[in-house]
Amino acid sequence: MAIRSFFLFILFFSSSLSPVFSLYEDQVGLMDWHQQYIGKVKQAVFSSQRAGRKRVVVSTEENVIASLDLRHGEIFWRHLLGADDVIDGIDIGLGKYVITLSSGGSILRSWNLPDGQMVWESSLQGPKHSKSFLLVPTNLKFDKDNVLVVFSNGRLHAISCIDGEVLWKKDFEAESFEVQQVIQPPGSDLIYVVGFAASYQFEMYQINAKNGELLKHESASFSSGFSGEVSLVSTETVVALDSTGSILLTISFQDGKISSQQTPISNLVEDSLGPAVIIPSSVSGIFAIKTDAVTVFIRVIGEGKLEVVEKTTHEIAVSDALSISEDQQAFALIQHASSEIHLTVKLAHDWDGNLLKESVKMDWQRGLVHKVFINNYIRTDRSYGFRVLIVMEDHSLLLLQQGEIVWSREDGLASIIDVTTSELPVERNGVSVAKVEHNLFEWLKGHMLKLKGTLMLASPEDMAAIQSMRLKSSEKSKMTRDHNGFRKLLIVLTRAGKLFALHTGDGRIVWSHLLRSLHKSEACQSPIGLNLYQWQVPHHHAMDENPSVLVVSRCGPSSDTPGVLSFVDTYTGKELSSLSLDHAVVQVIPLPYTDSTEQRLHLLINADKHAHLYPKTSEALSIFKREFLNIYWYSVEDQNGIIKGHALKCKCTGEVADEFCFDTRDLWSVVFPSESEKIVATVTRKLNEVVHTQAKVVADQDVMYKYISRNLLFVATVAPKGSGEIGSVTPEESWLVAYLIDTVTGRILHRVTHHGSQGPVHAVFSENWVVYHYFNLRAHRYEMSVIEIYDQSRADNKDVWKLVLGKHNLTSPISLFSRPEVITKSQSYFFTHSLKAIAVTSTAKGITSKQLLLGTIGDQVLALDKRFLDPRRTVNPTQAEKEEGIIPLTDSLPIIPQSYVTHALRVEGLRGIITVPAKLESTTLVFAHGVDLFFTQLAPSRTYDSLTEDFSYALLLITIVALVAAIFVTWRLSERKELQEKWR
């Protein structure tokens, strides 16, 4: 009986310790996190519904339409439109439909406001390309049907708000006519279309809103021409600037007759230098112009007379007009002043009176206010209150109300352009691995809940409690390094020029910094961030030096504009220093050398093909000179179809002479004929990739040696006709060619042609193999091909004793200038999905099996074992090949639902996948970014070198104690039974 109880006890505890290899509901969020964003807001419309939850509908630069909760800023719903379907305008119709105009004014859609479901879609075509305008009049009805007015593609449309039917349309076919405003006066059945023709003539069309009939057409010539934006100051008056920006034109078309008045800017702004610019707004009777550092607000008084009401030197932002009653309009004005912003709400007809005046403290790291949107509400005392939505320079979104920031969203993270990682600080007082339980009751309760979860007896409330306990007890969010290397900082650079440090444990923002070097200035008019590089990674000085990153940017979109370098501490986010360069930055080459402070050497190549060494120190220069002859790099000219190899020549001569500047020389070039091939993809190995072994043991104990070279480049070219959309050419007109090129000698090591195929091409290079994805026109399916390259010369001598004695050819030096004896193995497979990105897992020692991470068109990340892309797969593998792990050949690659790294989540607008090795060899860290962010840990060969994070050490200790007690009890019972038998 005792022995039976003992075995039942063992079975009970072993069931609670059984390993689990799948992801259960209570494990979500322990090793991964997902964050949703929308991007920089372009337009915002507040919902006017009195019942239900208050919301604001926005469109963004990331092509997102979203409905946000006004109380907390959370996303109710959102839709990401295609890259070619740019949103031109949004509005709310009938109080329950979100109306969007997109794709250059070609597509009009209606969405249900509460849940975001699409109600209808209309395609709008026209005779020519033009600006697009969307109007949702509140009082324009035909037969009890509210009407939308859309101008797009040179045509004016009246469209039913209920079903999207086009009621009438009117063409404006004049080639030189450029529409500037479409106006529908309240309470009128007229529509005015005004614009410029031939850049010097003002055109006005008066249209009957009920049937589209042209009622009147007037034009007036202005010899000085027009430039810039046109501002609407009333339903029948606009203001514009002449082509020089020095004369303000007030144009009225009252009763269909055009009259104008010209006012020199110098009459309004004294000592104005340079051309003026109109600040767009829709406030009745008031507009603003900006000259140099002065912003002037001007009121239009009857018959075109102008009156300056205020001048300011502060940076300002103005909202559109908000109707608060039948005859009153309000607007918001924001001015910057050091660490505060001043918010003022004024009536359009009363500049001196303020409906609201508040000051709000603002973090300077957010930059300037770029856009303002205003909304009103009724207070309990029946007075008007106002809430203001502002878009900042760093693309963040904030709601201001009653002098406070109600909520904020860091939507700059939706536009990440580069990512790198940084280790966390070392815990100086020692790492504590012991967990002290504060309360015995809580300890017992926690283990009972875990036991119920293991036995699947837990209720939903219990599952929530388990999840909360695990997140609370987890060490993943500490700000120090862990021995497994799971805790790191993700340093990301956004399009706004802001750096963020994200903790890999829970995704929180540790610090953020809007780089001063990326602020607009006289010397740098249009700063653009380019890339991030590891600058200083202390290993020997980890206790007294902080790591830092290098941010490379330039002062304009052109590659020949001057560059800017910024050096940022990754622990604090402090910008250590910045350099405004006197040369451009076309290419950055991180060198595999560091100085005594562990700063990494970099070469910056400018537009004149001069190489500049950084850091500019004597020590770095001496290290560089020792390796002068071993430095090679390549450049790719996509447009010209040329790939060139370069090396250093000598110190710079002439005006750019500098001891840190070097002339370069061209070593080789590969020219692809423009009539037959166009470069569409190039990829090389990661600089920090670790290869565990060069030898690969194949069937029958034979050995193949991987051709491992950091100088190997994969290039994909397609026929010029095949570089367009999929299906735009026939299979006979398109082909794809893949190359493997040595970038030191320019030697083409392998070339393969895929007839009847076209791009886009996505590729990844790892160790000695490359995998690339493309479209097969003949099969009407996507394909993935793999090429593996092996060094045949290293496999000639297999004498083990020579290897031990150092006389084997594996130990002999390798020169890329001697022609290598290589062989390649390749294979192609069909694949179901189109891809947006492709990456490969990376581990600390390179021992763990590789997995391909595929960013699918559905914005998910799929993990595919590299064994499925083994070129040695056959239909009937031998027994030896089966033992090696070779999978039988099939024509298609499998898609296993459980292999989706993102589970049921979507990384909207997926753009890139980054993999980072952890210290634990079995585990790799994966970061996917787009409009959303997603992070997780992967174990391609399972966690063979560690216990799971939620492993119960206390339960193991109890089990051991129970086993010892059971053994002692069993031994005592056995002794007693034996003694009784002897007495018999």
Side-chain angles (χ1 to χ4, degrees):
M1 186 69 183
I3 295 176
R4 182 183 299 175
S5 301
F6 167 70
F7 280 114
L8 287 173
F9 186 84
I10 294 288
L11 181 63
F12 174 75
F13 279 101
S14 62
S15 66
S16 61
L17 293 171
S18 60
V20 177
F21 298 113
S22 57
L23 188 70
Y24 286 91
E25 181 183 359
D26 65 309
Q27 291 178 305
V28 174
L30 289 178
M31 295 186 297
D32 56 75
W33 45 263
H34 180 228
Q35 298 176 355
Q36 295 181 317
Y37 298 100
I38 57 175
K40 184 181 181 181
V41 171
K42 294 193 300 184
Q43 298 167 293
V45 184
F46 292 88
S47 172
S48 57
Q49 287 182 332
R50 295 185 178 181
R53 302 181 69 177
K54 302 298 181 183
R55 63 182 72 204
V56 58
V57 180
V58 299
S59 69
T60 73
E61 292 184 355
E62 301 300 324
N63 255 13
V64 172
I65 306 163
S67 174
L68 304 179
D69 182 4
L70 269 180
R71 290 187 176 88
H72 308 290
E74 298 171 350
I75 299 173
F76 280 131
W77 55 261
R78 63 175 179 166
H79 295 290
L80 177 64
L81 304 186
D84 299 328
D85 196 9
V86 178
I87 303 168
D88 303 308
I90 64 169
D91 211 328
I92 295 179
L94 300 179
K96 59 181 180 179
Y97 299 121
V98 177
I99 311 298
T100 63
L101 183 65
S102 61
S103 194
S106 299
I107 300 177
L108 186 70
R109 296 184 180 95
S110 174
W111 315 81
N112 195 26
L113 179 60
D115 57 13
Q117 296 296 317
M118 190 167 70
V119 180
W120 51 259
E121 176 181 298
S122 292
S123 178
L124 307 178
Q125 303 300 324
K128 64 174 185 176
H129 179 72
S130 67
K131 286 185 179 180
S132 302
F133 296 91
L134 170 65
L135 295 178
V136 183
T138 56
N139 57 349
L140 191 59
K141 296 184 179 181
F142 301 160
D143 299 329
K144 300 182 180 180
D145 186 1
N146 284 62
V147 176
L148 309 174
V149 178
V150 176
F151 187 93
S152 65
N153 297 312
R155 179 176 288 171
L156 186 67
H157 306 78
I159 300 168
S160 167
C161 191
I162 303 298
D163 56 11
E165 179 186 357
V166 177
L167 304 176
W168 57 258
K169 53 191 175 184
K170 172 66 178 175
D171 286 349
F172 295 81
E173 298 181 357
E175 286 295 328
S176 60
F177 180 57
E178 296 181 6
V179 175
Q180 298 295 323
Q181 292 285 343
V182 178
I183 309 157
Q184 199 277 319
S188 171
D189 288 338
L190 299 177
I191 296 175
Y192 292 100
V193 179
V194 297
F196 305 141
S199 74
Y200 62 87
Q201 189 162 317
F202 183 81
E203 302 277 343
M204 187 278 300
Y205 294 85
Q206 188 183 71
I207 309 293
N208 187 335
K210 292 186 177 181
N211 53 24
E213 179 186 355
L214 178 62
L215 301 178
K216 190 173 290 187
H217 174 211
E218 296 288 337
S219 62
S221 297
F222 294 86
S223 58
S224 58
F226 302 95
S227 69
E229 295 281 346
V230 171
S231 184
L232 181 69
V233 293
S234 73
T235 56
E236 296 176 336
T237 305
V238 296
V239 292
L241 289 168
D242 73 338
S243 57
T244 64
S246 60
I247 298 177
L248 194 63
L249 305 171
T250 307
I251 306 172
S252 176
F253 40 92
Q254 190 172 8
D255 299 327
K257 296 181 180 179
I258 298 176
S259 60
S260 65
Q261 180 176 332
Q262 300 186 13
T263 306
I265 297 295
S266 57
N267 291 356
L268 303 172
V269 183
E270 298 176 358
D271 302 327
S272 63
L273 298 175
V277 177
I278 292 180
I279 299 176
S281 67
S282 62
V283 182
S284 178
I286 292 178
F287 66 97
I289 60 173
K290 186 173 183 179
T291 62
D292 301 330
V294 180
T295 302
V296 182
F297 290 89
I298 302 169
R299 178 188 295 153
V300 179
I301 307 174
E303 299 181 358
K305 295 181 179 179
L306 304 180
E307 177 189 5
V308 176
V309 293
E310 187 171 330
K311 296 180 182 178
T312 178
T313 58
H314 296 297
E315 291 289 339
I316 62 102
V318 185
S319 75
D320 285 340
L322 171 70
S323 296
I324 56 177
S325 64
E326 291 185 2
D327 57 347
Q328 286 187 330
Q329 284 187 338
F331 67 97
L333 174 67
I334 288 184
Q335 300 185 52
H336 284 265
S338 63
S339 61
E340 289 185 335
I341 60 171
H342 300 309
L343 168 64
T344 308
V345 178
K346 297 177 177 287
L347 287 173
H349 66 274
D350 182 13
W351 181 268
D352 297 326
N354 296 327
L355 295 176
L356 178 70
K357 192 169 185 178
E358 295 173 343
S359 294
V360 181
K361 289 187 177 180
M362 187 63 62
D363 184 2
W364 67 270
Q365 295 286 359
R366 296 190 182 277
L368 304 175
V369 176
H370 275 192
K371 290 183 182 293
V372 185
F373 305 95
I374 185 175
N375 179 239
N376 68 308
Y377 60 94
I378 305 298
R379 296 193 183 104
T380 54
D381 60 356
R382 309 307 297 172
S383 62
Y384 285 112
F386 296 92
R387 55 175 73 94
V388 177
L389 194 70
I390 60 175
V391 183
M392 305 298 294
E393 185 180 355
D394 67 344
H395 297 186
S396 59
L397 185 66
L398 298 88
L399 183 73
L400 308 182
Q401 189 171 332
Q402 296 179 356
E404 295 182 355
I405 300 175
V406 179
W407 52 258
S408 63
R409 293 180 53 88
E410 294 291 351
D411 284 302
L413 287 168
S415 57
I416 293 175
I417 58 177
D418 203 5
V419 183
T420 189
T421 58
S422 172
E423 294 289 347
L424 283 163
V426 178
E427 189 167 349
R428 288 170 171 77
N429 296 329
V431 179
S432 174
V433 297
K435 278 289 182 180
V436 179
E437 300 290 347
H438 298 288
N439 188 294
L440 179 61
F441 176 75
E442 293 293 329
W443 181 81
L444 290 172
K445 179 183 176 183
H447 284 291
M448 286 301 297
L449 282 172
K450 289 181 181 179
L451 186 59
K452 289 174 69 177
T454 303
L455 298 175
M456 299 183 182
L457 300 175
S459 64
E461 292 78 11
D462 292 337
M463 299 299 286
I466 292 171
Q467 177 78 339
S468 176
M469 287 172 55
R470 285 180 172 173
L471 291 174
K472 185 178 180 180
S473 63
S474 175
E475 293 190 351
K476 68 178 185 178
S477 57
K478 290 181 65 176
M479 281 300 298
T480 55
R481 299 183 192 181
D482 60 314
H483 63 281
N484 288 330
F486 295 161
R487 295 197 297 262
K488 296 181 186 293
L489 289 179
L490 293 168
I491 312 298
V492 301
L493 175 65
T494 67
R495 196 180 300 129
K498 191 169 186 178
L499 274 181
F500 289 87
L502 306 178
H503 197 292
T504 57
D506 51 9
R508 73 181 186 277
I509 298 173
V510 178
W511 56 259
S512 60
H513 184 79
L514 188 63
L515 297 174
R516 293 185 181 274
S517 55
L518 288 176
H519 278 204
K520 183 178 178 180
S521 62
E522 292 184 4
C524 196
Q525 289 295 321
S526 304
I528 299 173
L530 297 178
N531 294 104
L532 282 172
Y533 298 92
Q534 299 278 358
W535 178 252
Q536 186 176 22
V537 185
H539 294 291
H540 304 295
H541 303 83
M543 300 297 288
D544 50 16
E545 292 283 349
N546 291 356
S548 56
V549 293
L550 167 66
V551 184
V552 179
S553 52
R554 61 179 176 226
C555 292
S558 175
S559 60
D560 57 357
T561 52
V564 180
L565 304 183
S566 302
F567 306 92
V568 181
D569 187 317
T570 61
Y571 287 173
T572 63
K574 180 182 178 182
E575 190 170 5
L576 303 174
S577 62
S578 63
L579 294 174
S580 295
L581 308 180
D582 55 1
H583 59 82
V585 179
V586 176
Q587 193 173 359
V588 179
I589 304 167
L591 300 176
Y593 315 118
T594 57
D595 60 15
S596 60
T597 62
E598 298 183 88
Q599 288 183 347
R600 190 168 183 175
L601 275 60
H602 290 72
L603 269 185
L604 273 61
I605 314 299
N606 66 9
D608 298 325
K609 296 185 179 180
H610 291 123
H612 299 265
L613 175 66
Y614 291 88
K616 291 189 173 184
T617 61
S618 57
E619 182 187 4
L621 185 61
S622 63
I623 296 171
F624 182 74
K625 286 181 177 180
R626 289 199 300 268
E627 304 294 340
F628 189 85
L629 298 177
N630 297 323
I631 297 174
Y632 302 89
W633 71 95
Y634 69 93
S635 61
V636 180
E637 300 176 17
D638 295 343
Q639 299 301 322
N640 301 326
I642 301 175
I643 301 178
K644 294 181 179 180
H646 311 278
L648 297 168
K649 185 178 180 182
C650 60
K651 285 189 177 181
C652 292
T653 56
E655 297 180 359
V656 294
D658 183 340
E659 62 176 336
F660 298 99
C661 174
F662 300 86
D663 284 334
T664 63
R665 56 193 173 100
D666 293 344
L667 295 178
W668 55 266
S669 63
V670 177
V671 180
F672 299 95
S674 59
E675 66 275 4
S676 61
E677 295 184 61
K678 179 181 179 181
I679 300 173
V680 292
T682 58
V683 65
T684 187
R685 282 180 55 197
K686 283 184 179 180
L687 293 176
N688 60 350
E689 185 185 28
V690 178
V691 180
H692 177 61
T693 177
Q694 185 183 1
K696 179 178 181 179
V697 180
V698 297
D700 301 325
Q701 302 303 310
D702 196 6
V703 179
M704 299 178 69
Y705 293 94
K706 305 171 185 176
Y707 184 79
I708 298 172
S709 172
R710 297 188 185 278
N711 302 303
L712 208 55
L713 173 69
F714 169 80
V715 181
T717 66
V718 298
K721 289 184 179 180
S723 59
E725 294 288 333
I726 291 176
S728 59
V729 292
T730 63
E732 290 73 20
E733 296 175 314
S734 183
W735 54 84
L736 184 145
V737 187
Y739 296 87
L740 291 178
I741 300 177
D742 188 296
T743 58
V744 173
T745 63
R747 189 177 290 119
I748 297 175
L749 301 180
H750 181 70
R751 179 181 185 273
V752 61
T753 303
H754 302 274
H755 294 284
S757 298
Q758 71 171 123
V761 177
H762 298 278
V764 64
F765 206 140
S766 177
E767 293 190 355
N768 68 319
W769 53 265
V770 60
V771 171
Y772 51 103
H773 175 276
Y774 54 93
F775 189 77
N776 188 324
L777 290 166
R778 297 186 188 275
H780 302 285
R781 288 195 281 182
Y782 287 98
E783 259 186 18
M784 290 182 72
S785 292
V786 58
I787 300 174
E788 291 186 357
I789 184 167
Y790 293 93
D791 190 348
Q792 191 69 6
S793 64
R794 317 297 284 179
D796 292 341
N797 193 338
K798 299 181 181 179
D799 192 334
V800 177
W801 287 109
K802 287 189 176 182
L803 178 62
V804 174
L805 296 173
K807 297 180 180 181
H808 196 285
N809 61 359
L810 281 176
T811 61
S812 61
I814 300 174
S815 174
L816 292 173
F817 290 102
S818 60
R819 186 173 184 86
E821 299 178 27
V822 297
I823 61 170
T824 58
K825 294 182 179 294
S826 60
Q827 186 67 269
S828 297
Y829 304 90
F830 291 122
F831 189 66
T832 304
H833 289 306
S834 171
L835 296 186
K836 288 186 172 183
I838 184 171
V840 64
T841 56
S842 56
T843 54
K845 305 296 182 183
I847 301 172
T848 305
S849 301
K850 300 282 187 180
Q851 281 186 338
L852 292 169
L853 301 177
L854 310 176
T856 67
I857 194 66
D859 292 326
Q860 291 186 299
V861 179
L862 175 69
L864 182 65
D865 198 314
K866 170 61 175 61
R867 292 186 303 157
F868 288 109
L869 282 153
D870 192 329
R872 296 170 53 239
R873 286 176 65 184
T874 58
V875 177
N876 296 309
T878 64
Q879 183 60 34
E881 288 175 335
K882 289 180 180 178
E883 292 174 359
E884 187 188 339
I886 291 180
I887 302 170
L889 180 64
T890 56
D891 63 345
S892 298
L893 295 171
I895 296 178
I896 305 170
Q898 292 83 358
S899 296
Y900 279 101
V901 174
T902 47
H903 319 307
L905 302 172
R906 295 182 60 183
V907 186
E908 294 283 359
L910 179 66
R911 283 190 294 266
I913 303 171
I914 311 298
T915 61
V916 183
K919 291 181 181 178
L920 199 65
E921 170 57 25
S922 64
T923 308
T924 181
L925 311 179
V926 179
F927 177 63
H929 64 89
V931 176
D932 293 348
L933 307 182
F934 179 81
F935 176 87
T936 190
Q937 299 172 15
L938 279 187
S941 300
R942 296 188 177 179
T943 51
Y944 55 84
D945 53 357
S946 67
L947 296 171
T948 58
E949 185 177 320
D950 58 347
F951 183 83
S952 178
Y953 294 93
L955 201 56
L956 177 62
L957 181 62
I958 293 173
T959 304
I960 294 172
V961 172
L963 285 173
V964 172
I967 291 171
F968 179 76
V969 170
T970 305
W971 176 74
R972 292 290 298 171
L973 292 174
S974 177
E975 286 286 324
R976 182 179 297 179
K977 185 177 182 181
E978 185 180 352
L979 181 60
Q980 289 176 352
E981 288 179 353
K982 287 181 178 180
W983 276 105
R984 288 179 185 175

